[in-house]
Amino acid sequence: MNRQRPPKGIEWTRVKRVIDGTLVELPGYTWNPTGGCLHGCTWKMPDGSVTECYAKTVAERLASSAYSQGFEHHYWRPHALKEPLQLKEPAGIFVGSMADLFGHWVPAEQIREVMDVMEQAHWHTFQTLSKYPVRLVEFNPFPANVWVGVSLPAGHLMKLEGGARALKAYLRHMEQIEASIRFMSIEPLWFDVASVFADWLQSHERLPFEWVIIGAASSGRSIFQPKADWVQSLLDIFDAQQLPVFFKGNLKWHKWRGDFPQNASIRLQEPQLWPLQSLKTALAG
Ligand code: SF4
C-alpha cells in the first residue's frame, strides 16, 4: 500500500471521521490488489489536446515488472491481499488507484476476495471507484466500512449529449447500490453535469449518492478550470440536497470545500437490477 502524505497524493483518501465525538483525519493509502484497466479513458482538453488516464501514464513510466504487459491488461496480485489486515492503525484506503476493480474483465471471485478483506479489516474506511457501475449491484450489500464510488464518464469519443446520457444511466445503477456511502467523483468536470442532476430530481426526491468530489481537468502540468457556472450550479443542487462536497486540489474556487460524509449508516433496499443493455445503449449515444 502507498501512503498518501499531504500535501501530495490523493487527498480524499485522508478521510475525516467523527470517532468518539472528535473529528479525526485518518492517514490515507492506496491499495492495488488488482492492476491495469481496459477502459482506455481519454479526455479532450479545452485547448484541443487529448490527455490519457493518469494511472496509465504512471504505469508506463514505471515500465516495471508490475506492468510488464502494459496498462491495458488485468493483473491479479494475491500477495497484496492481506496488506490492509497488517495495518493496525485505522486508515482511509482507496482500492484500485491503478485499476477499475469492478471492470467487466475482472473475475467475480477476485472481487469477492478483495471484498472479504475489506470486511475483515473493519477498522479501515475503504473507497472504491468505478466507471462500470452496472456491475456494482452484483456485490450488494457492501460491507459497512466500504464507500462505493462512481466516476463521471470519460470524455473520449463522446459528444456532450453522449456524456449526459451515460451519466443518467450511471445514476440509475447507483440507485441500486446497497452501501453505507455512495459517492460520485466529478473529475474532470467536462460538461454541464448539473443539468443532468436537475433532470434526475424532477422525478426523484434525492440524488443516489451521499458524497461528491469535484475536480478540474489536468494534462501533465496544465490545469483547465471548468466553467464557473457549471460549478456554481452543482453547488446549488448539492447544498439544497445537503450533500457534503470535497474539492480536489486542482479546482480553483472560493469558498473552499473539503467535507466528508459523517453518518455512514447502512442503507439497504430491494435490489432492482438494471440490464447491462441500458448502459451500453447510453454509451453508444
Ligand atoms: S477507468 Fe480509471 S484507471 Fe481505467 S482508464 Fe479510466 S481513468 Fe484510467
Side-chain angles (χ1 to χ4, degrees):
M1 294 200 300
N2 283 326
R3 181 88 184 255
Q4 304 295 296
R5 292 182 193 279
K8 293 192 172 171
I10 302 172
E11 59 273 65
W12 45 268
T13 60
R14 297 189 286 270
V15 172
K16 286 188 185 139
R17 302 291 308 269
V18 175
I19 298 177
D20 296 333
T22 308
L23 190 64
V24 178
E25 180 177 290
L26 303 182
Y29 288 83
T30 55
W31 172 46
N32 284 285
T34 63
C37 183
L38 275 57
H39 285 316
C41 301
T42 57
W43 291 265
K44 196 168 178 187
M45 297 285 115
D47 67 355
S49 63
V50 172
T51 193
E52 65 179 15
C53 152
Y54 180 69
K56 181 174 189 291
T57 308
V58 170
E60 289 175 355
R61 195 189 302 146
L62 289 175
S64 66
S65 55
Y67 294 94
S68 58
Q69 296 183 71
F71 183 67
E72 282 156 347
H73 181 83
H74 175 56
Y75 301 87
W76 171 233
R77 303 198 172 108
H79 58 275
L81 264 183
K82 301 289 177 201
E83 288 173 357
L85 295 165
Q86 287 152 3
L87 179 68
K88 299 302 176 194
E89 174 191 26
I93 301 175
F94 173 26
V95 188
S97 63
M98 301 289 287
D100 185 337
L101 175 63
F102 297 96
H104 58 82
W105 57 89
V106 183
E109 316 79 64
Q110 294 178 4
I111 298 174
R112 292 201 188 284
E113 283 197 52
V114 175
M115 298 262 295
D116 283 350
V117 172
M118 294 195 283
E119 188 161 23
Q120 286 171 48
H122 54 82
W123 56 94
H124 297 312
T125 300
F126 292 92
Q127 300 160 320
T128 66
L129 193 54
S130 178
K131 278 195 174 63
Y132 197 61
V134 65
R135 201 171 182 198
L136 291 168
V137 293
E138 227 184 282
F139 300 94
N140 277 341
F142 285 79
N145 59 327
V146 178
W147 297 5
V148 181
V150 171
S151 294
L152 197 63
H156 63 306
L157 307 176
M158 209 189 275
K159 295 188 175 144
L160 294 183
E161 317 83 66
R165 257 198 301 274
L167 178 57
K168 279 179 197 162
Y170 279 21
L171 294 177
R172 290 199 296 273
H173 293 292
M174 288 183 84
E175 197 180 20
Q176 310 310 322
I177 299 169
E178 298 173 15
S180 57
I181 298 292
R182 300 161 297 178
F183 66 97
M184 178 109 230
S185 172
I186 306 174
E187 189 211 3
L189 174 51
W190 64 275
F191 68 98
D192 178 18
V193 172
S195 62
V196 177
F197 293 152
D199 276 358
W200 176 269
L201 288 169
Q202 298 282 325
S203 52
H204 298 78
E205 251 179 52
R206 57 190 311 275
L207 291 165
F209 44 86
E210 286 72 39
W211 185 44
V212 191
I213 299 168
I214 305 177
S218 58
S219 175
R221 288 168 188 258
S222 304
I223 308 283
F224 301 95
Q225 294 299 319
K227 290 184 183 171
D229 55 332
W230 292 353
V231 180
Q232 188 57 60
S233 306
L234 278 177
L235 293 178
D236 290 346
I237 289 174
F238 297 148
D239 288 348
Q241 292 267 306
Q242 298 184 313
L243 281 174
V245 175
F246 188 98
F247 286 160
K248 288 275 298 178
N250 62 7
L251 187 75
K252 279 192 184 150
W253 195 260
H254 182 77
K255 188 175 170 189
W256 190 252
R257 311 264 185 120
D259 299 330
F260 288 93
Q262 293 304 331
N263 300 316
S265 57
I266 273 281
R267 194 190 57 85
L268 295 177
Q269 57 177 223
E270 284 296 311
Q272 300 168 27
L273 300 184
W274 287 84
L276 177 62
Q277 196 55 37
S278 67
L279 182 63
K280 284 189 174 159
T281 306
L283 290 172

